[in-house]
């Protein structure tokens, strides 16, 4: 049998393989609420403009609500023969209300319909990701506040570099996630224009009111160009790009949690709620959630690359290739929300081991830069000479198997005669972090200022 939607031109139905490659209903059923909202807005506009009789439009709008409730109740029989969510909904509407259903598609195409549905869906995901990021930022702010002055080693090359504060390290992630938030806010603003009314590609001769449907669906305005409206998927790509960068940040933090929770570091303990055990090694408490967050970026970046690749060679306007947009964005969005929730849970539950952090902060010659700076400040050495002298002292301490503050004054003076007892005051990690008062620096007073600033900005979000 040929198709109910376009059977006029067709004598035979599709091959089973054709149906298998063509049907998207197995996944685009997720767009049902958006599809029905879009159709209801379109129908209301058709009545308002006098394009369709008000009585038909009322039947259409009521019938669509029935379809939605059937879908929500799990009572809807989706059909692959009807290809996608748009035709499944319309066919059911026809079964419910009869011929009036056939008027719904006046001045519309599935091309502007799907573009509208997918924008609405992706806009919701931006909102969800923004809310997820706000929760994560709040959890990081709590961690930062608690340990604003706790010392820990700061690393470069994962080698001990200079002491920093726990609060400073947490706040570095707050900055990153806040930028991710900003990217989603930006993307949302740009995507919030309505494709509805672009019809197949060229617009329509019916006297439609695109402002009205745009407003009804919460869009800021109709899109300006009908070809662009049905062709564009860069709104989805922007979401995926922002999601990819956010996933990269999540992955870096996850990697730190994996390292920090190891027996060798012991910087943090993760809660039982976010850890797993081993079936053979009784002592194990594994950071599986962190590892999975670290890995999930693969799917999100994969989706971004996949959709870019789908889109890159497509001539204007719509091509069926674009149906491949949805599974990528669905999976990336689901993955991002899960990773954000898991990270927020882990950060909220995590306890930092203040003593282990402090112990590590003082090892590995972490205050060598402070010593060199002291030589510059107090003994007037050029920084390069101070660097050299300090290097010699580090070599000495290393040979003795001790840290810098464990060297005697005599040993220090053998390297540079200008060194006095006063140098020991800068070799302590507490003094070291307290001295880093420059804008954005690790000094607790700076960190507290950063926390207060973000608390203020997060208020009312
Ligand atoms: N399921 C299709 C999609 O997701 C809807 C648009 C179909 N348009 C068309 N001209 N075949 O892209």
């Amino acid at each position: 049998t040929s198709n109910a939607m376009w059977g006029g031109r067709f004598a035979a139905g599709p091959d089973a393989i054709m149906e298998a490659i063509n049907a998207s209903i197995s996944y685009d059923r997720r767009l049902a609420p958006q599809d029905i909202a879009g159709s209801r807005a379109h129908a209301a506009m058709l009545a308002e403009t006098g394009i369709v009789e008000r009585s038909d439009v009322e039947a259409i709008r009521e019938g669509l609500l029935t379809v939605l409730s059937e879908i929500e109740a799990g009572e809807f029989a989706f059909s692959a023969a009807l290809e996608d969510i748009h035709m499944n909904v319309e066919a059911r509407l026809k079964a419910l209300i009869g011929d009036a259903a056939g008027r719904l598609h006046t001045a519309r195409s599935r091309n502007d319909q799907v573009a509208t549905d997918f924008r609405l869906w992706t806009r919701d995901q931006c909102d969800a990701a923004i809310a997820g990021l706000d929760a994560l930022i709040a959890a990081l702010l709590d961690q930062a506040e608690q340990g604003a002055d706790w010392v820990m080693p700061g690393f470069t090359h994962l080698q001990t570099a200079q002491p920093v504060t726990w609060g400073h390290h947490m706040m570095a992630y707050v900055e990153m996630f806040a930028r991710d938030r900003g990217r989603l806010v930006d993307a949302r603003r740009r995507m919030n224009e309505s494709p509805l009314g672009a019809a197949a590609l060229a617009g329509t001769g019916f006297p439609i009111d695109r402002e009205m449907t745009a407003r009804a669906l919460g869009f800021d305005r109709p899109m300006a160009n009908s070809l662009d409206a049905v062709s564009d998927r860069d709104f989805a790509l922007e979401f995926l790009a922002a999601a990819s960068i956010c996933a990269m940040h999540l992955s870096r933090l996850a990697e730190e949690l994996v390292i920090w929770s190891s027996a060798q570091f012991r910087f943090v303990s993760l809660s039982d709620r976010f850890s797993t055990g081993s079936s053979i090694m009784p002592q194990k408490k594994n950071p599986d959630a962190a590892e999975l967050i670290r890995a999930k970026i693969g799917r999100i970046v994969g989706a971004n690359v996949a959709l870019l690749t789908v889109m890159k060679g497509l001539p204007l306007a719509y091509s069926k290739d674009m149906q491949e947009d949805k599974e990528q964005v669905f999976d990336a969005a689901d993955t991002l929300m899960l990773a954000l929730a898991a990270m927020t849970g882990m950060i909220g539950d995590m306890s930092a081991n203040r003593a282990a952090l402090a112990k590590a902060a003082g090892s590995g010659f972490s205050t060598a830069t402070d010593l060199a700076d002291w030589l510059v400040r107090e003994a007037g050495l050029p920084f390069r000479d101070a660097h050299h002298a300090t290097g010699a002292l580090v070599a000495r301490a290393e040979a003795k198997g001790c840290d810098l503050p464990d060297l005697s004054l005599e040993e220090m003076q053998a390297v540079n005669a200008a060194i006095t007892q006063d140098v020991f005051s800068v070799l302590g990690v507490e003094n070291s972090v307290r001295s880093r008062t420059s804008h954005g620096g690790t000094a607790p007073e700076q960190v507290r200022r950063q926390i207060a600033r973000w608390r203020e900005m997060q208020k009312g979000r």
Side-chain angles (χ1 to χ4, degrees):
T1 59
S2 85
N3 187 292
M5 300 288 168
W6 56 69
R9 191 198 191 290
F10 284 66
D15 189 271
I17 301 291
M18 177 62 204
E19 185 175 299
I21 195 172
N22 199 35
S24 52
I25 189 61
S26 64
Y27 49 87
D28 70 12
R29 61 176 66 178
R30 284 184 76 164
L31 297 177
Q34 289 76 16
D35 193 67
I36 286 167
S39 288
R40 280 173 50 83
H42 181 68
M45 182 278 290
L46 292 176
E48 201 58 36
T49 50
I51 298 170
V52 175
E53 289 287 331
R54 199 165 281 279
S55 55
D56 283 345
V57 165
E58 267 156 27
I60 288 169
R61 284 172 49 88
E62 273 304 304
L64 285 167
L65 286 184
T66 307
V67 176
L68 182 61
S69 62
E70 288 176 358
I71 291 173
E72 281 171 347
E75 290 161 1
F76 192 96
F78 291 103
S79 153
L82 289 166
E83 268 194 45
D84 57 23
I85 185 63
H86 323 294
M87 299 209 289
N88 270 268
V89 169
E90 194 183 318
R92 179 65 189 142
L93 183 67
K94 180 152 194 228
L96 286 169
I97 70 165
D99 285 343
R103 302 197 185 276
L104 169 60
H105 214 51
T106 314
R108 186 177 73 169
S109 152
R110 273 190 296 159
N111 296 347
D112 59 337
Q113 189 178 358
V114 73
T116 303
D117 296 1
F118 199 30
R119 266 179 197 252
L120 290 172
W121 193 89
T122 308
R123 189 178 74 183
D124 283 351
Q125 298 304 307
C126 288
D127 291 339
I130 288 165
L133 278 164
D134 282 337
L136 176 55
I137 287 169
L140 287 163
L141 284 170
D142 288 344
Q143 284 286 351
E145 195 145 57
Q146 188 188 22
D149 57 358
W150 296 2
V151 289
M152 67 179 283
F155 299 91
T156 59
H157 315 266
L158 197 56
Q159 306 285 321
T160 301
Q162 295 174 347
V164 295
T165 52
W166 173 255
H168 198 215
H169 202 119
M170 293 296 107
M171 291 308 292
Y173 282 105
V174 167
E175 295 288 333
M176 291 178 241
F177 290 123
R179 284 194 298 276
D180 293 336
R181 185 189 195 282
R183 272 181 276 275
L184 287 161
V185 169
D186 270 5
R188 188 200 194 283
R189 188 168 40 226
R190 247 188 309 281
M191 79 176 63
N192 201 31
E193 295 187 344
S194 174
L196 196 57
L201 73 165
T204 174
F206 289 102
I208 58 170
D209 184 348
R210 294 191 60 204
E211 291 283 351
M212 181 183 166
T213 48
R215 224 176 306 117
L217 296 169
F219 288 116
D220 294 328
R221 63 192 75 84
M223 289 180 77
N225 182 301
S226 62
L227 286 168
D228 177 46
V230 296
S231 301
D232 164 51
R233 292 295 181 271
D234 59 49
F235 71 89
L237 286 165
E238 273 198 75
F239 172 74
L240 291 176
S244 296
I245 296 174
C246 179
M248 175 275 293
H249 287 147
L250 287 168
S251 187
R252 294 183 76 172
L253 177 53
E255 164 71 356
E256 298 213 287
L257 296 183
V258 170
I259 295 172
W260 290 351
S261 61
S262 67
Q264 287 67 28
F265 272 75
R266 285 187 186 288
F267 283 6
V268 299
S269 31
L270 302 174
S271 72
D272 289 357
R273 301 198 315 148
F274 285 96
S275 307
T276 58
S278 158
S279 54
I280 174 169
M281 297 166 282
Q283 86 284 10
K284 292 281 269 181
K285 186 170 158 189
N286 293 326
D288 292 38
E291 295 166 79
L292 287 162
I293 292 169
R294 186 173 61 185
K296 292 283 186 199
I297 184 175
R299 303 166 71 131
I300 296 174
V301 175
N304 192 11
V305 173
L307 185 54
L308 271 173
T309 312
V310 165
M311 296 306 296
K312 68 169 271 299
L314 296 186
L316 304 189
Y318 179 85
S319 299
K320 196 60 174 267
D321 310 50
M322 287 158 72
Q323 179 166 284
E324 289 288 309
D325 55 2
K326 281 172 278 298
E327 279 176 293
Q328 301 297 341
V329 178
F330 291 166
D331 185 68
D334 291 344
T335 304
L336 181 67
M337 301 318 152
L338 184 57
L340 280 170
M343 184 58 90
T344 303
M346 265 193 302
I347 295 293
D349 279 13
M350 165 177 89
S351 52
N353 184 345
R354 185 178 186 173
L357 290 169
K359 185 154 182 271
S363 65
F365 316 109
S366 65
T367 53
T369 314
D370 298 84
L371 198 158
D373 287 349
W374 184 92
L375 286 167
V376 169
R377 224 172 31 242
E378 306 295 331
L381 264 62
F383 182 76
R384 282 293 153 223
D385 296 349
H387 184 288
H388 190 81
T390 306
L393 286 168
V394 167
R396 230 168 231 248
E398 196 161 43
K400 281 186 67 182
C402 68
D403 275 308
L404 281 174
D406 306 323
L407 292 174
S408 68
L409 182 59
E410 290 70 36
E411 284 171 298
M412 298 244 189
Q413 287 170 338
V415 170
N416 190 298
I419 295 178
T420 67
Q421 185 64 36
D422 178 58
V423 82
F424 288 97
S425 70
V426 302
L427 296 181
V429 289
E430 305 278 349
N431 283 337
S432 169
V433 297
R434 228 174 294 140
S435 72
R436 303 277 199 269
T437 53
S438 56
H439 183 97
T442 203
E445 60 174 277
Q446 278 297 333
V447 172
R448 291 202 175 95
R449 198 167 301 154
Q450 293 166 30
I451 296 169
R453 188 175 136 258
W454 279 113
R455 285 263 192 238
E456 195 53 44
M457 288 214 282
Q458 289 296 100
K459 241 184 234 164
R461 275 183 176 172

